[in-house]
Amino acid sequence: MLKLPPIYDTENGMVLSVALMLLAILTLMGSAAIVSTRTGIKIAGNWKAHTKVFYAAEAGLEKGIGDLKALLASTPDPNTTQLAGIVPPTLSDSSVTFESLDVEQVNSSQINIGDGAYQGLRADATDYKITAEAKGPAGTRSRLVQMVAYLEVPLFQFGVFYGKGVDLEIAPGPPMTFNGRVHSNSNIYAKNDSVKFDSLVTTTGKIHRYLKRDPSTRGGNPL
C-alpha cells in the first residue's frame, strides 16, 4: 500500500486558508458596498429634505414681501399688530411646516437716493426685516432673512407731480424751459416742440407724443 507524502496534506491546508481569506475579503467588500449604498441613500434623502424645506422657507419669504408691499400701499406706517397679521402660505406637502414668518420694522432714517430715476432726491427710508423659518423631515430646517427698504419721497421736491389715475397733459404753448422734476403715476401726453425739460421726467405709465383729447395730430418730442 502506498502512502501519500506529507506535502499533499500541507497543500490542502493552504488551499483552505486561502479560500477562507478570499471569503473574508469578499465579505468585507460586500459589507462596505452595503454601507456605502445606505450612506448614499441617506445623503440623497437628506438633500431632498433640505431642498424641500429651503424652498418652503423661500416661498414664505416671497409671500411676506408681497403681503408687506400690499400693506404699505394702503397703510404707509403699519403698526406691530398689522405686521403680525402677515402669515405664511399654506403648503401642499404636509411633511414641511413653518416655524415662523416674522415681519418687523427695524430702522427709519432720511437718505439721499444714489441711483435710479429718483437719484439726487431725499427720501424717508424705513427698513423692514422679514424672517421665514421652515422645518421638514429628518430634522431639516431652513431660515431665510430679507431686508426691505420702503422709501417715501416728499412731493415738494417735484416741480410737477400727478397721482394715480390722473394723466398729465402738456398742451402747446409759448417757448419755455421747465427746470423742476416731473412725475406722473399715470400717463403723460405731451405735444409741444417749444417746451424743454431741464430735469428728469418719469412716469409709471406711458409717454404719448400727442394730446389726449386729440390723438389725430402727432407732435414733436418736448423732452
Side-chain angles (χ1 to χ4, degrees):
M1 179 181 292
L2 297 176
K3 185 178 180 180
L4 294 175
I7 188 172
Y8 289 99
D9 292 334
T10 303
E11 289 180 351
N12 288 338
M14 290 180 63
V15 170
L16 179 60
S17 298
V18 171
L20 291 175
M21 289 179 63
L22 290 174
L23 181 61
I25 292 172
L26 291 174
T27 301
L28 289 174
M29 292 176 63
S31 299
I34 292 173
V35 171
S36 177
T37 301
R38 288 178 176 175
T39 302
I41 293 174
K42 187 175 181 180
I43 291 174
N46 288 340
W47 177 252
K48 181 179 180 181
H50 172 75
T51 301
K52 289 168 60 174
V53 77
F54 172 81
Y55 283 116
E58 188 176 50
L61 202 63
E62 292 295 328
K63 184 177 184 295
I65 294 172
D67 289 357
L68 176 62
K69 182 179 179 180
L71 177 61
L72 291 172
S74 59
T75 310
D77 187 20
N79 55 40
T80 55
T81 301
Q82 291 170 314
L83 294 176
I86 298 177
V87 297
T90 302
L91 300 175
S92 58
D93 190 343
S94 59
S95 66
V96 182
T97 58
F98 278 99
E99 286 284 271
S100 62
L101 177 61
D102 297 322
V103 182
E104 57 179 326
Q105 179 181 330
V106 294
N107 185 46
S108 60
S109 60
Q110 283 194 337
I111 65 170
N112 290 317
I113 301 176
D115 55 15
Y118 305 111
Q119 181 178 359
L121 296 178
R122 290 190 61 81
D124 297 324
T126 304
D127 295 328
Y128 291 90
K129 180 181 178 182
I130 303 175
T131 305
E133 185 172 0
K135 67 177 182 177
T140 54
R141 290 177 178 270
S142 181
R143 183 175 183 269
L144 301 179
V145 178
Q146 177 77 50
M147 297 297 297
V148 176
Y150 175 62
L151 303 182
E152 294 178 291
V153 180
L155 297 184
F156 66 81
Q157 299 175 95
F158 292 88
V160 175
F161 187 95
Y162 271 55
K164 184 177 180 180
V166 181
D167 293 326
L168 170 59
E169 187 174 33
I170 302 173
M176 65 172 291
T177 299
F178 191 82
N179 293 318
R181 288 176 178 262
V182 176
H183 178 78
S184 173
N185 279 329
S186 295
N187 300 312
I188 295 178
Y189 293 83
K191 174 181 174 282
N192 196 335
D193 296 327
S194 61
V195 174
K196 303 297 179 184
F197 292 93
D198 197 27
S199 189
L200 291 177
V201 177
T202 56
T203 176
T204 59
K206 296 180 179 180
I207 297 179
H208 302 279
R209 301 304 195 271
Y210 56 85
L211 296 184
K212 184 177 181 179
R213 60 179 180 270
D214 184 16
S216 62
T217 305
R218 304 282 166 156
N221 186 358
L223 308 179

